[in-house]
Structures are given as structure tokens and as C-alpha cells.
Amino acid sequence: QVQLVESGGGLVQAGGSLRLSCAASGLTFSMYNMAWFRQGPGKEREFVAAMTWSGGNTNYAGSVKGRFTISRINAKNTMYLQMSSLKPEDTAVYYCAATKSWTSRVDAYIYWGQGTQVTVSS
């Protein structure tokens, strides 16, 4: 049974930082491209960042480029999202997801975590 478990969310002031983690089990983690998505209140789920299975390529949404950094350690079956210079508009539930494709499309991702809440206060 595949499980993706996010952690590290919380309440932070604008300008602060958080690091999210995604622990994977039940799949060969090193064979999957991984991504972070988020869903704000009343909004559709949106792409945040992705990394290839090897870590060799990354892709970021324009709204987070330069502020967020995605990384992974295949030996630990874990992916991270380092978030800096956080803004109130970054408030959302953050999800990690896995796919065999290289895409930012929500519907291409096979496995999803349950999400972790990030709240940025102004």
C-alpha cells in the first residue's frame, strides 16, 4: 500500500520560513518524479514544484520561484520543500504527489498524501 505522509506545516509570520517533508512508503521512491501542490481556501489545487526521480531536474511555479526549494533524498524515501520569504497568499494545504510523468498537471499524479496546513499571517 502506497503512503505519502506530509509533515512540517504550521503557522508562520509573513517573511518567515518552513520546511515541509514528504515520507514515502510502499513504492520504489527512486523511480518516481515527485511534486508539491497546494490548495488555498476556495481555490483549485495548483502546482508548486516538481523534481525528477534522480533530482536532476526541477520545475517551479512562477509564484514561488526564488523562494521555495524542492529536494529529495532517495535513500531516505523523502522529499522536502524549503519555503522562505513566505507570504499570506502562500496559505494553503500542501500536498506531495508522485508520478511517472514529467508534468505539472494535477491529473497526471498517481499517488497523493493527505496534506499539511501552512498558514502565513500578515
Side-chain angles (χ1 to χ4, degrees), residues 41-122:
K43 298 181 180 179
E44 293 188 352
R45 193 167 299 190
E46 65 175 1
F47 172 78
V48 175
M51 175 170 270
T52 53
W53 61 271
S54 66
N57 284 321
T58 58
N59 185 28
Y60 292 92
S63 60
V64 307
K65 195 171 293 185
R67 300 188 298 122
F68 291 10
T69 302
I70 189 172
S71 62
R72 64 190 293 166
I73 301 177
N74 285 344
K76 294 186 175 182
N77 288 351
T78 304
M79 176 179 66
Y80 304 94
L81 184 68
Q82 178 67 49
M83 305 185 295
S84 302
S85 302
L86 283 161
K87 304 175 182 180
E89 51 263 44
D90 294 317
T91 294
V93 177
Y94 283 72
Y95 299 89
C96 65
T99 182
K100 290 289 186 75
S101 307
W102 182 235
T103 179
S104 59
R105 290 182 52 169
V106 172
D107 59 2
Y109 283 77
I110 306 168
Y111 303 113
W112 291 85
Q114 83 290 347
T116 186
Q117 176 71 47
V118 172
T119 303
V120 184
S121 63
S122 57

